[in-house]
Structure formats: C-alpha cells, structure tokens
Amino acid sequence: MRDIFEDIFKGEPLDPVELARRSVRRTLRKRFYESAGVVEESGIFAVTLDGKPVRTPARHSLAAPTRELAMAIAAEWNAQAAVIDPANMPLTRLANSIIDGVADNPDEVRADIVKYLGSDLLFYRADGPEGLTERQAQAWDPIVRWAADTLGARFIMVEGVVFAAQPEAAIAAAAKATPKNIWRLGAVHSIMTLTGSALLALALAHGAVSAQDAWTAAHVDEDWQMEQWGRDTPAMERQAHRHAEMTAAATVLTLVP
C-alpha cells in the first residue's frame, strides 16, 4: 500500500488546476480495489480499501475524527472508475494535507492565517466603477461588520491597492477566532488560500456566512471583469477546480464539530 500511495498522492501540488493538468499529462494508476469502507479505531474513523488500512503519503493513517467525514472520504475512493484521479478527490487531498502537515504544525498554520488578516482581500476596495464598488460593499460589508460586532475586530477599509497597516488590536481579536481543532484549522487555511481572505474563512467556520456566499464574495472582482469583457474559459476552469476544493473544506467544517 505504501508504494501505491506514494505513486498517487506524494508530491501532488496544492493548486487544483495544476493538479488537473498533471493528471492529464501522466498515466494514472488503475483502480486496484473493489470498495472503500470505514472502520473505527479507538474513536478515530479510518478509511479502508477492501478492508485494508490506507496510509497518507507521510505514512500516517488516513483517518478522520468523525464517521461522517471518513465516509465522505471513502465515497471519493468509491467514485473512482477505471483509474484513480487525485484531481477528482479534493477531500482526500485535504485530509492528507491536514494529517501530514497541519497536525504537526498548527502554530505555523495559525500564524499564516493571522498574517493574511493584515492584508485581507475584504479590506481593499476599488475606487470605481460604481457598479463594482457597490458589489464589493454588498458582499463584503456584512463580513466586516460581523468581525467588528462579534469578534471585536475593527478593521480599516482601504480604497485602491496601496498597503495600509491594520490595527494590531483588530488582528489580535480576529486571531482568537481561529479554530483549535486541527481539522477545522486546516479547512479554514484551505478556504483562506482559495478565497484570498482569512476573514471570509473565519466567518464561514463560525456560521456567519454560507459556503456559496463566501465563494461568491471572494470572486466579486473576477466575476465583474468577466461580465465586462466576456467569459474567460481558462479562468472558468480554474474557478471550477477551486470550487471543488472549497466544497471539500466546507464539508470538513460541516462534519467536524
């Protein structure tokens, strides 16, 4: 099983578009198992292939803290057809990342989230045209208000792209909202990376916004540009792949209390 997992997942890029391109270029491993399942081991729910334990690329057990999440991961394996395509397994890849990376380095992951809060997407507003500024305000202002009212984090809004330092008190207040659970922490970090906003990720983790609304908010600028200049096929493909990653991270937040 070790060689199989190293062949399939080791060294895979985090970017879903690049992963999809690699999957097209290379020969994918044929499906070698009948079915994936879940077994409980000391309160942890491990994914199995034909009853045999599965390992992450770093040789940890591919296991989740809840049965529901483990079953969702197993469902990705069961959904594979003739070949195993990592590009179609965002939840498994996120699980690998959390188990192999986040679990041993939670402080570094939190620090990265805090760093994002210093220059978050939601703080930098366009100076025009009016239609774009209105959309940004409609999508982003409720999240900024939530941060102020619920977290006590009062950030400064900036017009244009010139960097402006945020109040340390605001960053510290928002930082307290980062999850302590490593699975939720890993999901928040993934959402932050995908959306460019730590504040959106935290709002989603705390139920202040839905996954779809968070996704829409993160793409206000991109969607506006495509409406003005026409649909960009590569950009749409990137969005589709990244949306799958976002859905996987949101699933973790839903299934891990």
Side-chain angles (χ1 to χ4, degrees), residues 131-253:
L132 175 57
T133 60
E134 289 178 349
R135 287 197 190 181
Q136 288 180 340
Q138 182 179 15
W140 298 352
D141 284 358
I143 307 302
V144 174
R145 286 195 297 269
W146 167 80
D149 296 342
T150 303
L151 305 181
R154 292 172 173 79
F155 292 100
I156 298 170
M157 301 303 105
V158 182
E159 190 174 278
V161 296
V162 177
F163 174 77
Q166 294 294 328
E168 292 184 6
I171 295 174
K176 293 178 181 178
T178 56
K180 292 181 172 58
N181 177 280
I182 63 165
W183 284 83
R184 294 180 64 80
L185 180 65
V188 165
H189 190 274
S190 176
I191 293 166
M192 176 192 76
T193 303
L194 291 164
T195 63
S197 171
L199 205 58
L200 270 176
L202 291 175
L204 179 54
H206 287 270
V209 66
S210 70
Q212 185 55 53
D213 285 346
W215 180 258
T216 300
H219 292 83
V220 168
D221 293 356
E222 188 173 347
D223 290 344
W224 171 267
Q225 292 297 328
M226 284 194 285
E227 287 178 17
Q228 306 311 305
W229 304 104
R231 294 290 173 181
D232 183 325
T233 299
M236 295 296 292
E237 291 176 351
R238 287 193 296 271
Q239 274 204 23
H241 286 293
R242 291 167 70 83
H243 188 265
E245 303 289 314
M246 176 81 166
T247 300
T251 296
V252 170
L253 292 177

Side-chain angles (χ1 to χ4, degrees), residues 48-67:
T48 62
L49 300 178
D50 294 337
K52 298 178 180 179
V54 179
R55 299 289 177 181
T56 67
R59 303 294 295 143
H60 296 108
S61 173
L62 180 61
T66 67
R67 183 180 296 276

Side-chain angles (χ1 to χ4, degrees), residues 5-18:
F5 256 80
E6 289 186 348
D7 286 349
I8 297 172
F9 286 99
K10 190 171 184 178
E12 294 293 357
L14 295 179
D15 180 71
V17 178
E18 176 59 22

Side-chain angles (χ1 to χ4, degrees), residues 4-14 19 47 54-65 69 73 76-77 84-87 89-105 182-183 186-187 245 248 252:
I4 289 171
F5 256 80
E6 289 186 348
D7 286 349
I8 297 172
F9 286 99
K10 190 171 184 178
E12 294 293 357
L14 295 179
L19 179 63
V47 177
V54 179
R55 299 289 177 181
T56 67
R59 303 294 295 143
H60 296 108
S61 173
L62 180 61
L69 180 55
I73 296 171
E76 285 190 338
W77 288 88
I84 304 169
D85 188 351
M89 305 174 75
L91 194 53
T92 299
R93 296 196 303 112
L94 178 58
N96 286 341
S97 176
I98 292 172
I99 294 168
D100 290 349
V102 180
D104 291 334
N105 302 285
I182 63 165
W183 284 83
E245 303 289 314
V252 170

